[in-house]
Amino acid sequence: AQTVTQSQPEMSVQEAETVTLSCTYDTSESDYYLFWYKQPPSRQMILVIRQEAYKQQNATENRFSVNFQKAAKSFSLKISDSQLGDAAMYFCAYRSSYNNNDMRFGAGTRLTVKP
Amino acid sequence: NAGVMQNPRHLVRRRGQEARLRCSPVKGHSHVYWYRQLPEEGLKFMVYLQKENIIDESGMPKERFSAEFPKEGPSILRIQQVVRGDSAAYFCASSSTGQGDGYTFGSGTRLTVV
């Protein structure tokens, strides 16, 4: 069974600085999708960025980028020029291409942004 | 264009009562997923439905829990005879194709059992 591990329960970053959130996963599949979701205090789950495993190029969305290392099964999220509004819980998630039912989530990393 | 709408946002039930959680997916989305989130934890898959069909309920307890997604109307997650351990946030998500796109999540229903 696929598992997703986020080893950092909490992280903090100074406003305007860069922070990297870690995520590793375990799978025997070769084709899958990886996601980072943001959950602010409002509880809304917001999709931040998405990566297809068959693509070698790392996904980028404005200030958010990933470092996808398929062999190492690592999928870290880098937030550049951090803003106060980035403060939230961040969840890494895995979704199989073979079984579309089930998106597996990590336990989350709480990011604090210091002014 | 509304996203996924869940109601109620907060629900308080006494032990033994029934809880009924509603989810209206994004217009045009035919795949609905329910997840449960305990405090300080990630989301745990419960059930996956398409219109009028349960596709995968492997994450849902066999007793007291049921889900439906009728041809007309919202998806319903029903919890009968609630217990304190059912207290959690329940999230609904929808997608259009179910083929690797990210889900659109609702804001969740926080169920408190007293």
Side-chain angles (χ1 to χ4, degrees):
Chain A
Q2 296 85 12
T3 57
V4 179
T5 302
Q6 292 179 250
S7 58
Q8 307 154 316
E10 296 182 356
M11 291 284 284
S12 70
V13 63
Q14 206 70 36
E15 194 176 5
E17 298 291 309
T18 296
V19 65
T20 299
L21 308 184
S22 301
C23 173
T24 58
Y25 56 93
D26 184 25
T27 185
S28 57
E29 298 174 342
S30 59
D31 197 14
Y32 47 86
Y33 300 84
L34 296 165
F35 306 86
W36 278 97
Y37 278 88
K38 170 185 177 182
Q39 186 180 42
S42 67
R43 278 207 327 253
Q44 180 76 44
M45 292 287 286
I46 302 165
L47 178 63
V48 175
I49 201 163
R50 170 180 178 268
Q51 175 83 42
E52 292 121 328
Y54 64 86
K55 288 188 177 178
Q56 292 192 351
Q57 185 173 7
N58 289 324
T60 300
E61 287 287 340
N62 300 313
R63 298 182 294 107
F64 298 87
S65 62
V66 298
N67 183 5
F68 173 47
Q69 302 288 328
K70 191 172 184 179
K73 296 178 184 173
S74 170
F75 183 60
S76 60
L77 174 70
K78 185 170 85 170
I79 307 174
S80 305
D81 186 25
S82 297
Q83 300 175 0
L84 295 177
D86 295 334
M89 285 289 288
Y90 285 82
F91 293 98
C92 178
Y94 170 104
R95 188 179 186 190
S96 169
S97 292
Y98 308 102
N99 173 8
N100 290 307
N101 310 343
D102 186 355
M103 190 178 285
R104 302 288 179 109
F105 287 83
T109 297
R110 182 177 300 282
L111 178 66
T112 303
V113 181
K114 298 178 181 178
Chain B
N1 182 21
V4 175
M5 304 300 292
Q6 286 188 252
N7 66 80
R9 188 137 169 84
H10 300 277
L11 182 62
V12 179
R13 284 288 178 265
R14 295 187 183 278
R15 280 177 293 172
Q17 290 185 319
E18 178 180 285
R20 188 175 292 226
L21 289 61
R22 295 177 193 78
C23 168
S24 296
V26 172
K27 189 175 181 181
H29 283 190
S30 59
H31 302 256
V32 166
Y33 311 83
W34 285 92
Y35 283 79
R36 177 163 63 178
Q37 185 180 31
L38 295 172
E40 303 303 317
E41 292 189 14
L43 278 69
K44 296 288 193 294
F45 169 77
M46 296 183 73
V47 62
Y48 163 42
L49 310 102
Q50 291 183 26
K51 280 289 186 182
E52 299 185 272
N53 290 307
I54 295 175
I55 307 301
D56 182 353
E57 56 184 348
S58 59
M60 196 162 66
K62 295 279 188 287
E63 297 182 358
R64 302 189 298 109
F65 285 73
S66 63
E68 62 179 19
F69 187 19
K71 187 176 181 181
E72 301 292 336
S75 176
I76 306 287
L77 178 67
R78 182 188 302 172
I79 311 173
Q80 296 177 302
Q81 300 172 353
V82 295
V83 301
R84 289 236 171 96
D86 296 333
S87 296
Y90 291 83
F91 286 88
C92 172
S94 73
S95 70
S96 57
T97 64
Q99 291 293 327
D101 50 335
Y103 300 165
T104 301
F105 278 88
S107 297
T109 293
R110 183 174 295 284
L111 172 65
T112 301
V113 180
V114 297

